Amino acid sequence: ETGVTQSPTHLIKTRGQQVTLRCSSQSGHNTVSWYQQALGQGPQFIFQYYREEENGRGNFPPRFSGLQFPNYSSELNVNALELDDSALYLCASSLVGHTGGYTFGSGTRLTVV
Amino acid sequence: GESVGLHLPTLSVQEGDNSIINCAYSNSASDYFIWYKQESGKGPQFIIDIRSNMDKRQGQRVTVLLNKTVKHLSLQIAATQPGDSAVYFCAEKFQGGSEKLVFGKGTKLTVNP
């Protein structure tokens, strides 16, 4: 059984640019969530996708958007990058309605300069 | 409001001692509470969870206690080992809707040999 994989592992972007992060869900999972983790902080919920549609969103502006594909993989897109977007971006997959936790990937470390 | 916090940002113990990590939460409507372990450069790893209708759950070397009266959650690690050194997060999970996780800031556990 494969876990959650994210790519790339590290990324450096310039303020104002756009970035796309990718995630492959754990086999058998149909829900993908994205979290932003600033240095020294706990992860903050960005949004969740189920059946290729957004299924809940945290307190993040519209320039944070996502996609879920039929194979349950997902993308996180961030437009007009700001310095404060520098963080570890975590993808987590789960099976909707299944009690218990999520399976997290190792994250993408985004640095905006 | 929704918030999950931790009492202590750091905890240092001797190898072989028992560790107790505490967490306070504010939303009495949460259905699940989950403890995660996060090692440097990795995503959060599920340790144990507990339903809101339980007050104690045991796993291998770990025990989670839930006190709903004072909205307090704790993680006990028996015979702490150097490999237990990591940041530990508690998280609330809301059933239904997006089932997002609300994380606290984390406690850094250091196990001294």
Side-chain angles (χ1 to χ4, degrees):
Chain A
E1 178 179 273
T2 60
V4 175
T5 58
Q6 293 187 241
S7 63
T9 55
H10 296 82
L11 200 55
I12 300 175
K13 288 287 190 178
T14 303
R15 187 172 52 184
Q17 285 189 314
Q18 178 266 343
V19 68
T20 298
L21 310 181
R22 295 179 173 81
C23 170
S24 294
S25 301
Q26 178 170 312
S27 177
H29 285 182
N30 56 13
T31 301
V32 174
S33 302
W34 286 91
Y35 290 79
Q36 180 194 66
Q37 186 176 22
L39 197 62
Q41 302 292 319
Q44 297 292 313
F45 176 75
I46 303 175
F47 43 55
Q48 182 184 78
Y49 278 81
Y50 171 61
R51 291 184 175 178
E52 302 176 45
E53 292 189 356
E54 190 177 288
N55 181 40
R57 189 178 185 92
N59 189 26
F60 282 82
R63 58 190 186 84
F64 285 78
S65 64
L67 288 171
Q68 184 186 30
F69 301 100
N71 64 355
Y72 305 122
S73 64
S74 177
E75 288 183 355
L76 166 65
N77 300 290
V78 187
N79 294 321
L81 283 166
E82 301 177 359
L83 297 179
D84 286 348
D85 295 333
S86 295
L88 180 68
Y89 288 85
L90 295 162
C91 171
S93 70
S94 62
L95 189 60
V96 70
H98 179 71
T99 59
Y102 293 77
T103 302
F104 282 84
S106 294
T108 294
R109 172 69 64 185
L110 172 66
T111 302
V112 182
V113 298
Chain B
E2 302 172 354
S3 67
V4 177
L6 296 171
H7 295 307
L8 295 173
T10 62
L11 177 64
S12 183
V13 301
Q14 292 298 121
E15 182 178 358
D17 287 351
N18 296 332
S19 302
I20 300 176
I21 301 172
N22 296 305
C23 174
Y25 66 94
S26 61
N27 194 326
S28 57
S30 295
D31 294 280
Y32 279 87
F33 302 88
I34 307 165
W35 281 100
Y36 283 94
K37 172 186 180 183
Q38 188 173 26
E39 297 174 282
S40 180
K42 297 183 179 180
Q45 177 186 0
F46 175 88
I47 301 173
I48 191 169
D49 65 355
I50 188 167
R51 299 176 64 97
S52 58
N53 62 355
M54 301 170 66
D55 54 20
K56 181 179 180 179
R57 192 174 186 201
Q58 289 184 293
Q60 185 178 11
R61 282 202 306 119
V62 295
T63 300
V64 56
L65 300 177
L66 175 63
N67 186 331
K68 294 181 287 294
T69 302
V70 295
K71 297 180 183 175
H72 183 267
L73 191 70
S74 69
L75 176 70
Q76 300 177 0
I77 305 173
T80 314
Q81 302 168 1
D84 295 327
S85 294
V87 177
Y88 289 81
F89 294 96
C90 66
E92 288 177 84
K93 183 177 178 181
F94 304 91
Q95 284 296 88
S98 65
E99 298 185 354
K100 70 177 181 180
L101 296 176
V102 177
F103 284 83
K105 291 186 178 181
T107 293
K108 183 177 181 180
L109 175 65
T110 301
V111 182
N112 301 307

